[in-house]
Amino acid sequence: MKRLAILLLFSFVGILHSQHMDNDKLELIIKKNADTLNGIPGNWKFIYKETPMLCVTDKTNNRMRIISPITSSDNLDKDLLLDAMTANFHSALDVKYAITNKILWSVYIHPLKELTEEQVNSAISQVYYAARTFGSTFSSTELIFGAGNTKKKSKEAIPEEKIRKF
């Protein structure tokens, strides 16, 4: 009986803490962070610190993405691709570098309903930093996790046409 009471207590606390994020709440959080915001619920374009971003949700499948374009994949050589893949393991943390439709993106993907406001704020920041540091530290924050042998390049060492913004 005592175990059941403890289990019910923890279940109730979990229910109180769950965010149950939806498009309305997500839009309000993005508005707080963004310089500009356009679009419709579940499909927004916004600017954060002069960096273009998109947020796309899929309520049916409980998914959310915040993404930022970095460069055309045609601009990437083998070394940059290898550095981006290494960063996905070490320094990109919750954000990943990904290619689709010949564009390299900084990408944050998460279940929609389970998102918290803190996670959305962090996601926007990490997508921004991963896009801005592509070609140098390839990092989504100041923290670089376990990057023992990861080489850091100076941004000047990479030709500008390989990292230009859209």
Side-chain angles (χ1 to χ4, degrees), residues 63-82:
R63 302 306 296 169
M64 185 278 316
R65 292 178 185 211
I66 297 175
I67 61 178
S68 180
I70 298 172
T71 190
S72 168
S73 62
D74 294 338
N75 294 330
L76 304 173
D77 61 22
K78 182 180 173 186
D79 288 337
L80 278 174
L81 282 171
L82 183 59

Side-chain angles (χ1 to χ4, degrees), residues 70 80 83-84 87 91 97 129-139 144 150-158 163:
I70 298 172
L80 278 174
D83 287 344
S91 57
Y97 294 108
Y129 280 110
R132 299 289 290 180
T133 63
F134 180 80
S136 59
T137 62
F138 296 87
S139 179
I144 298 177
T150 302
K151 55 183 174 171
K152 290 185 181 180
K153 295 181 178 182
S154 72
K155 199 166 187 174
E156 291 74 38
I158 299 171
I163 57 174

Side-chain angles (χ1 to χ4, degrees), residues 117-161:
E117 182 171 351
E118 293 78 22
Q119 287 172 319
V120 176
N121 292 331
S122 177
I124 292 169
S125 176
Q126 287 192 57
V127 168
Y128 166 78
Y129 280 110
R132 299 289 290 180
T133 63
F134 180 80
S136 59
T137 62
F138 296 87
S139 179
S140 62
T141 67
E142 292 181 9
L143 173 66
I144 298 177
F145 177 76
N149 292 328
T150 302
K151 55 183 174 171
K152 290 185 181 180
K153 295 181 178 182
S154 72
K155 199 166 187 174
E156 291 74 38
I158 299 171
E160 181 62 30
E161 67 272 6

Side-chain angles (χ1 to χ4, degrees), residues 9-77:
L9 177 65
F10 281 113
S11 297
F12 183 70
V13 170
I15 290 169
L16 289 178
H17 273 66
S18 62
Q19 178 73 18
H20 295 293
M21 184 65 67
D22 60 24
N23 283 334
D24 293 334
K25 292 175 188 175
L26 186 56
E27 183 172 9
L28 291 174
I29 297 167
I30 294 170
K31 272 185 185 176
K32 287 183 199 175
N33 286 281
D35 302 326
T36 64
L37 177 65
N38 296 299
I40 60 172
N43 193 342
W44 301 280
K45 295 177 184 180
F46 62 101
I47 303 293
Y48 176 76
K49 296 184 179 182
E50 299 180 12
T51 300
M53 294 191 183
L54 303 169
C55 180
V56 181
T57 65
D58 178 349
K59 293 188 305 186
T60 303
N61 293 300
N62 191 32
R63 302 306 296 169
M64 185 278 316
R65 292 178 185 211
I66 297 175
I67 61 178
S68 180
I70 298 172
T71 190
S72 168
S73 62
D74 294 338
N75 294 330
L76 304 173
D77 61 22

